[in-house]
Amino acid sequence: MESIQEALKRMPTSNNILNQFEKIKEEVLTDKTIQQFIQANPAIEDAELDRNISRLFEFRNERNNCIRCTSLQSCPNLMKGYEPQLYTERNKILIRYNKCHKKTANDERSRQIELIKSLYVPKEILSASFETLHKDNRSRITAIAKAFEFASTANPGETGNGLYFHGQFGVGKTYIMGAVANLLADRNIASMLVYTPDFFRELKSGIHDGSYIEKLEIVKNAPVLILDDLGAETMSSWIRDDILGVILQHRMLEKLPTLYTSNYDFELLEEHLAYSQKGGVEQLKSKRIMERIRHFAEPVYIEGENRRGSM
């Protein structure tokens, strides 16, 4: 097979086209990454390089797009979310496309959101950061400091200690947890923020088709789990013992941190967990759950006025 350069020489007005080709060839072959590839594959012949200038040009452009990439949504590559990789097969130059880390993370998050619909949270929570948090009273400053310390030092699998934020409705507990999740993400630590009442309802509805088992496994094994609004659910012995108890027991054994927000302090939450829909009172089982929470989560009270819409 003749090279592109040889084919161009036979075309009318070949001089201009040939000059353009030579310019592209020079740009491609002086690219640092392509030079490294050529040096790593000395068996590649010059004729093979000539035949694949357009392929190498495509590789260089798409790789540069990846270097400048700011978000998956703005990816200009022909295959959005995929980055090129040069390789050889029988001394032939080929390109394969692999998922970039942004697409991998996006696909995993999409899978989890699809599987656990209670992960949907307001956009302002997902965009929360410690820089935007209001620090207007002592308890809030303390809570933010403890949250920042946790997000900066958490080491899932090595220590399972977490936090238990409690206070009145609308004081910003969930918003602070959103800032925790984002700082953890900056450290490449995955977290899962679960609105507890919706999650429990979804698990219950998944009993008939067995889907609740997979959902439960994902929550059990999240590197950092944030159970939002614990205590707002309608309690049943199944939720307490077979769901919450199983989650917390597993996370305790695996040293995976769990954080909580609740309108209840420990004493009121223990009372809530003792009651079930059937009207029974099971204080011993409630105490077992609370022991797992108390031992691994530091209680932090947040006072203040309802600040929904302005965190």
Side-chain angles (χ1 to χ4, degrees):
M1 181 183 294
E2 65 179 345
S3 69
I4 295 176
Q5 192 171 17
E6 292 170 344
L8 289 175
K9 289 179 179 178
R10 297 188 289 100
M11 293 178 60
T13 66
S14 62
N15 287 339
N16 288 339
I17 298 176
L18 188 60
N19 289 339
Q20 292 176 11
F21 174 81
E22 290 296 337
K23 183 178 180 180
I24 291 174
K25 179 179 177 180
E26 182 181 359
E27 291 177 0
V28 165
L29 296 182
T30 55
D31 180 88
K32 184 178 180 180
T33 302
I34 293 176
Q35 283 186 338
Q36 291 173 345
F37 171 76
I38 294 172
Q39 291 169 5
N41 296 275
I44 297 176
E45 298 178 352
D46 290 343
E48 175 66 11
L49 288 173
D50 281 348
R51 282 192 293 269
N52 287 277
I53 290 299
S54 61
R55 180 170 287 162
L56 294 172
F57 183 71
E58 173 192 330
F59 165 81
R60 189 199 68 161
N61 287 349
E62 301 249 302
R63 180 183 58 82
N64 287 342
N65 288 339
C66 293
I67 293 172
R68 295 189 296 265
C69 179
T70 57
S71 69
L72 179 62
Q73 290 70 30
S74 63
C75 174
N77 283 355
L78 293 174
M79 296 178 62
K80 180 173 288 191
Y82 287 80
E83 53 190 357
Q85 178 188 359
L86 288 174
Y87 71 103
T88 61
E89 191 173 288
R90 297 179 182 178
N91 295 327
K92 303 296 183 183
I93 298 173
L94 299 168
I95 300 179
R96 64 166 63 97
Y97 283 84
N98 306 312
K99 282 185 182 181
C100 70
H101 69 280
K102 289 185 175 68
K103 180 167 177 57
T104 299
N106 183 77
D107 288 353
E108 175 62 17
R109 180 165 179 78
S110 296
R111 186 184 72 84
Q112 291 182 341
I113 288 176
E114 178 63 26
L115 191 61
I116 305 174
K117 294 180 175 60
S118 59
L119 280 181
Y120 288 117
V121 294
K123 290 183 179 179
E124 63 268 20
I125 301 300
L126 294 177
S127 63
S129 68
F130 284 99
E131 289 76 13
T132 61
L133 295 176
H134 291 309
K135 306 171 183 67
D136 50 8
N137 66 57
R138 181 170 296 180
S139 70
R140 191 173 176 81
I141 292 172
T142 300
I144 292 172
K146 289 183 178 296
F148 182 81
E149 180 182 12
F150 171 85
S152 301
T153 61
N155 191 6
E158 296 295 328
T159 174
N161 295 331
L163 296 167
Y164 183 92
F165 281 7
H166 63 101
Q168 294 300 311
F169 174 86
V171 295
K173 303 182 294 293
T174 305
Y175 197 80
I176 297 175
M177 290 300 182
V180 169
N182 280 314
L183 182 51
L184 288 171
D186 289 342
R187 297 180 57 217
N188 294 317
I189 297 176
S191 62
M192 185 174 292
L193 176 59
V194 176
Y195 180 62
T196 309
D198 281 356
F199 175 65
F200 288 158
R201 279 194 294 270
E202 192 167 324
L203 287 186
K204 188 175 181 179
S205 67
I207 293 175
H208 301 295
D209 61 10
S211 63
Y212 86 94
I213 296 175
E214 186 177 0
K215 297 172 185 179
L216 184 61
E217 286 299 313
I218 289 176
V219 171
K220 281 169 56 179
N221 291 289
V224 175
L225 175 63
I226 302 171
L227 292 176
D228 184 40
D229 215 0
L230 183 63
E233 70 286 337
T234 300
M235 185 49 59
S236 70
S237 57
W238 179 75
I239 289 175
R240 181 193 59 218
D241 303 331
D242 297 327
I243 301 301
L244 184 59
V246 168
I247 290 172
L248 298 185
Q249 177 69 11
H250 176 82
R251 298 186 66 77
M252 178 183 69
L253 294 175
E254 297 298 322
K255 295 184 178 180
L256 298 174
T258 306
L259 295 87
Y260 311 80
T261 74
S262 180
N263 293 337
Y264 294 156
D265 60 17
F266 280 166
E267 288 70 25
L268 289 175
L269 181 63
E270 184 171 330
E271 289 182 21
H272 172 73
L273 293 174
Y275 289 88
S276 67
Q277 287 176 309
K278 296 182 179 180
V281 179
E282 298 175 298
Q283 292 180 336
L284 180 58
K285 291 184 177 180
S286 175
K287 287 183 180 296
R288 287 175 181 169
I289 299 292
M290 288 307 304
E291 279 304 305
R292 296 168 189 166
I293 296 176
R294 281 192 173 99
H295 187 71
F296 289 99
E298 178 185 357
V300 180
Y301 175 65
I302 303 177
E303 62 181 354
E305 298 178 353
N306 188 333
R307 56 174 68 243
R308 280 290 160 89
S310 176
M311 299 301 161

